Amino acid sequence: MTDLLTPPPEQDLPPGRAADIRRTVLRSTGETRRRRSGRGVWLLVPAVALLVVVAVVLGLRSPQAPSVYASPSPAPSTAPTAGDGAVDTDAGPLSRAEAVAVVDELRSRPPGSRRGPLVDVVLARRTTTALGRGTYVVWTDTTGSTWWSAHVPDVMGVGAPLSGPAVKKVARAPDAAHPVIRLTDLVNFGWSIDNDRPDSTARDLHVEGFYRVSGAVDRVEVRMTVEGEPGPWFTAPVHDGYVFIPAVAPGPHSTTEHIDKVTTIEDRAFDHDGNPVPVTAGY
Amino acid sequence: MDEEPGGNREGRAGHSEVMRHEKVDVPAAPPAADDALWAELLSGEPRALGELFDRYSRQVYNFAFRRTASWALAEEVTQATFVSLWRRSRTLSGGVENGRGWLFGIAENECRNAVRGTVRADRLRARLRDHAVDRATVDPADVVPGRVDAERRMDELRAVLARLPVHEQRTIELVVWSGLSTAEAAAAMGVAEGTVKSRLSRARGRLTQLLGTPIPGGLP
């Protein structure tokens, strides 16, 4: 070993996290067993089938989807039609007790200490996609800030997010000129790579769009296009001026390119008359 | 910063820097009982997974940190690695010749997953650089000093290592930093043991040249 290439000293997993991760890992063994025994599979198959059908339909309507990776456009890339068969991802409210537990757990992790004690749960909902169920919570704290966090389905199938719960401050409000504020960076999306073929097969592509919208906005939609094949638009109802939309493309996607080079993510929004309205980045 | 994980670091150093010497904790060789444990895992026994987690999660965690230069990502990789280990064990036909090498091979893939899937961190760093965010705007309460320092240092170290070919970087990470035997590293990378040895030798030569000073004691 050389003096010049000595990495920082090794560390233990943070106190509490090791036990959390261990629990999650061991829970996954039960998950796998349930899946292998067939329970739940019949529920998943129709969902995937539905996505495929919708994707095919939209694919016929949207043949000009870009085939190279690009930043999401605030303007619709295809002739928009409000309510165009988009997949609803909302799965009902989360109880206040569950929301409070989520916030408490997030505050217990560094750098959670900067966030003050919970004042109020603004919004807490469940979500559902072909990859599973998730939650998101918007809350205010004693520092006067509004925060949000989304627990998206774990693509590894254990009910916890692969990328960890993102916690962000809600910093920008919509106005007449900017009726839709995108609070997430849509370029940040995730996927899982087959361990046996790490560079040729990707699956479970997912991206989450979170928006703050004015009263003029009726709906927001997000979709992914992989190798020129547009997936369905995903949407969710507006609740208290917020919209959280998990969009997925389960795959598997076989490609000779890195998946991020051949995937495009788009979002679009409409007013109550079905007219498109601009989406503004505000994360 | 309003975002986690990894939101409180400055951009990569972008230059090499001579490091002070610190002794690295080289993990002990796997105990003989490992073979039975791996066999138990392959037979579908969750208890074996728990035991392997207790035995190797720290090694995987630190391996992932050295790869990603992020403690938060390393936590995610650790979890994903052991979940993936279980799933792979349920579909694997035959036995495992080198369990720890196999585990690190999975960790290697999960690191790649995590880094590719977390474009956010890089974009955040870019924004920090582009907008020249004042350090004073970072709330000290967000920072765990030792961990942040380690992340910065690892960033710098990775900038040095990035000057080697990727397969030599991987070899250094597995053998030199994580203490795997050449046989285990070979299993992790899916190459012959002799290939690992020759990569080590070439990496040593390249590093000596790059750093402008002989590597004391050489690489193992």
Side-chain angles (χ1 to χ4, degrees):
Chain A
M1 188 60 191
T2 163
D3 291 1
L4 308 179
L5 284 172
T6 303
E10 295 202 335
Q11 295 192 16
D12 290 327
L13 279 157
R17 284 295 291 149
D20 284 349
I21 293 173
R22 192 182 195 280
R23 262 195 303 276
T24 303
V25 166
L26 290 179
R27 265 208 314 270
S28 76
T29 64
E31 185 80 16
T32 306
R33 284 176 168 182
R34 281 197 297 277
R35 286 186 176 185
R36 289 170 70 82
S37 70
R39 273 195 292 166
V41 172
W42 65 275
L43 290 173
L44 187 62
V45 169
V48 172
L50 174 64
L51 289 180
V52 170
V53 168
V54 175
V56 168
V57 170
L58 287 177
L60 293 174
R61 291 180 181 177
S62 311
Q64 75 277 35
S67 59
V68 295
Y69 187 59
S71 294
S73 165
S77 68
T78 57
T81 305
D84 195 12
V87 179
D88 190 346
T89 58
D90 187 65
L94 196 66
S95 75
R96 178 177 168 80
E98 289 170 312
V100 169
V102 168
V103 175
D104 284 348
E105 197 269 338
L106 291 170
R107 286 193 63 241
S108 71
R109 297 184 190 181
S113 55
R114 188 159 79 86
R115 294 184 283 277
L118 173 73
V119 169
D120 189 27
V121 174
V122 177
L123 179 62
R125 309 283 303 178
R126 297 183 189 281
T127 64
T128 183
T129 67
L131 298 188
R133 293 169 73 88
T135 62
Y136 70 94
V137 179
V138 181
W139 74 96
T140 55
D141 70 3
T142 52
T143 69
S145 299
T146 301
W147 301 87
W148 70 272
S149 174
H151 288 65
V152 295
D154 181 356
V155 298
M156 304 303 294
V158 295
L162 183 65
S163 57
V167 181
K168 295 184 180 180
K169 186 187 284 184
V170 177
R172 188 172 173 185
D175 54 36
H178 309 93
V180 182
I181 302 296
R182 186 194 302 120
L183 300 171
T184 46
D185 181 353
L186 288 185
V187 176
N188 173 35
F189 73 109
W191 64 93
S192 171
I193 299 171
D194 190 310
N195 266 320
D196 294 323
R197 301 165 60 197
D199 293 319
S200 61
T201 304
R203 60 184 71 237
D204 300 341
L205 272 66
H206 57 96
V207 66
E208 294 77 40
F210 190 56
Y211 305 85
R212 198 171 178 191
V213 302
S214 75
V217 175
D218 179 63
R219 61 193 293 116
V220 184
E221 299 176 347
V222 180
R223 79 168 176 186
M224 307 177 79
T225 296
V226 185
E227 290 196 300
E229 288 293 324
W233 288 102
F234 291 85
T235 190
V238 176
H239 288 286
D240 297 324
Y242 292 94
V243 185
F244 179 78
I245 306 169
V248 301
H253 308 280
S254 293
T255 171
T256 54
E257 300 287 335
H258 285 175
I259 197 71
D260 58 348
K261 304 293 183 199
V262 293
T263 302
T264 302
I265 305 161
E266 298 168 280
D267 56 9
R268 63 183 188 180
F270 304 94
D271 64 17
H272 296 289
D273 295 324
N275 300 312
V277 296
V279 179
T280 308
Y283 44 84
Chain B
M1 292 307 303
D2 300 328
E3 183 175 0
E4 64 182 25
N8 297 317
R9 289 188 289 137
E10 294 183 312
R12 291 178 185 280
H15 63 279
S16 64
E17 184 178 325
V18 174
M19 300 295 172
R20 300 293 303 166
H21 175 71
E22 284 181 33
K23 183 169 171 57
V24 166
D25 298 328
V26 177
D34 257 18
D35 287 347
L37 208 49
W38 289 108
E40 213 179 316
L41 178 77
L42 294 184
S43 72
E45 179 49 63
R47 189 200 69 79
L49 182 66
E51 180 69 27
L52 288 166
F53 181 88
D54 294 340
R55 203 169 280 191
Y56 293 121
S57 59
R58 188 178 192 272
Q59 291 177 30
V60 169
Y61 176 56
N62 283 279
F63 166 78
F65 167 71
R66 291 187 287 263
R67 167 63 65 83
T68 63
S70 161
W71 292 112
L73 271 182
E75 282 182 30
E76 293 161 18
V77 168
T78 304
Q79 175 174 312
T81 297
F82 282 92
V83 170
S84 189
L85 174 66
W86 175 258
R87 295 176 77 182
R88 299 273 288 117
S89 74
R90 307 311 303 132
T91 58
L92 192 74
S93 55
V96 174
E97 199 169 305
N98 194 320
R100 195 162 70 140
W102 183 41
L103 176 66
F104 274 75
I106 293 173
E108 160 98 15
N109 277 329
E110 295 303 340
C111 283
R112 201 157 33 199
N113 270 343
V115 171
R116 284 177 181 167
T118 311
V119 180
R120 173 181 55 201
D122 285 340
R123 289 179 59 82
L124 188 62
R125 285 190 201 103
R127 284 206 297 274
L128 286 171
R129 280 197 300 271
D130 292 346
H131 300 299
V133 172
D134 186 348
R135 241 191 242 189
T137 63
V138 176
D139 190 327
D142 279 359
V143 177
V144 183
R147 291 166 70 83
V148 173
D149 287 347
E151 289 182 335
R152 286 184 179 146
R153 184 172 178 183
M154 201 63 227
D155 260 345
E156 293 168 353
L157 203 46
R158 291 223 60 92
V160 176
L161 202 67
R163 297 166 74 181
L164 297 182
V166 170
H167 57 272
E168 290 178 16
Q169 293 179 39
R170 302 293 168 261
T171 308
I172 297 284
E173 290 166 359
L174 290 168
V175 179
V176 181
W177 287 349
S178 294
L180 266 62
S181 68
T182 51
E184 288 171 325
M189 293 188 284
V191 299
E193 191 174 349
T195 305
V196 175
K197 290 176 179 171
S198 61
R199 285 178 182 176
L200 273 174
S201 173
R202 281 196 296 271
R204 177 189 178 189
R206 251 188 265 274
L207 285 170
T208 299
Q209 205 169 21
L210 285 172
L211 299 172
T213 180
I215 307 296
L219 298 170

